[in-house]
């Protein structure tokens, strides 16, 4: 049997692991299902373009489905419990 190795950043792997746990399957099953779905749609030029664009951007940015724990969020840098920006302020 042939093998394909996929190297994922933690921020990419964690959502895959969560989905696998939710579905009670292995992470490899999630990857295989994703590849299966992609291959069924691979003749579509838009899908082909997406594959090429993803390949080019992989070194510089995480995919949209990845955990974004390393990115800056709008609330970062605000004081804790800043009443002006709190959705719970009265």
């Amino acid at each position: 049997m042939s093998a394909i190795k996929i190297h994922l950043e933690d921020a990419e792997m964690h959502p895959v692991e969560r989905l696998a746990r939710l579905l009670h399957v292995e992470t490899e099953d999630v990857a295989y299902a994703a590849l299966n779905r992609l291959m069924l749609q691979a003749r579509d030029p838009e899908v082909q373009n997406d594959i090429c664009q993803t390949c080019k951007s992989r070194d510089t940015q995480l995919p949209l489905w990845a955990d974004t724990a390393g990115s800056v969020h709008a609330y970062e840098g605000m004081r804790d419990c800043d009443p002006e920006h709190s959705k719970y302020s009265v």
Side-chain angles (χ1 to χ4, degrees):
M1 178 180 284
S2 298
I4 296 174
K5 292 183 181 183
I6 302 173
H7 300 275
L8 300 175
E9 299 290 331
D10 286 342
E12 296 169 313
M13 188 61 180
H14 293 157
V16 176
E17 290 171 333
R18 286 194 302 272
L19 180 59
R21 280 193 305 272
L22 177 71
L23 300 175
H24 305 289
V25 298
E26 299 295 321
T27 54
E28 292 84 358
D29 298 323
V30 173
Y32 186 81
L35 181 60
N36 180 59
R37 189 173 185 115
L38 174 69
M39 294 302 293
L40 292 173
Q41 298 174 356
R43 291 186 183 184
D44 181 339
E46 202 170 304
V47 172
Q48 293 173 5
N49 185 53
D50 188 44
I51 293 169
C52 294
Q53 292 302 317
T54 301
C55 180
K56 290 176 186 175
S57 68
R58 186 159 186 222
D59 290 338
T60 59
Q61 63 190 39
L62 290 171
L64 297 175
W65 50 265
D67 284 347
T68 55
S71 66
V72 177
H73 298 280
Y75 59 82
E76 291 182 19
M78 282 195 281
R79 295 188 326 258
D80 289 341
C81 300
D82 187 343
E84 182 179 340
H85 296 95
S86 174
K87 67 179 181 180
Y88 301 109
S89 63
V90 285

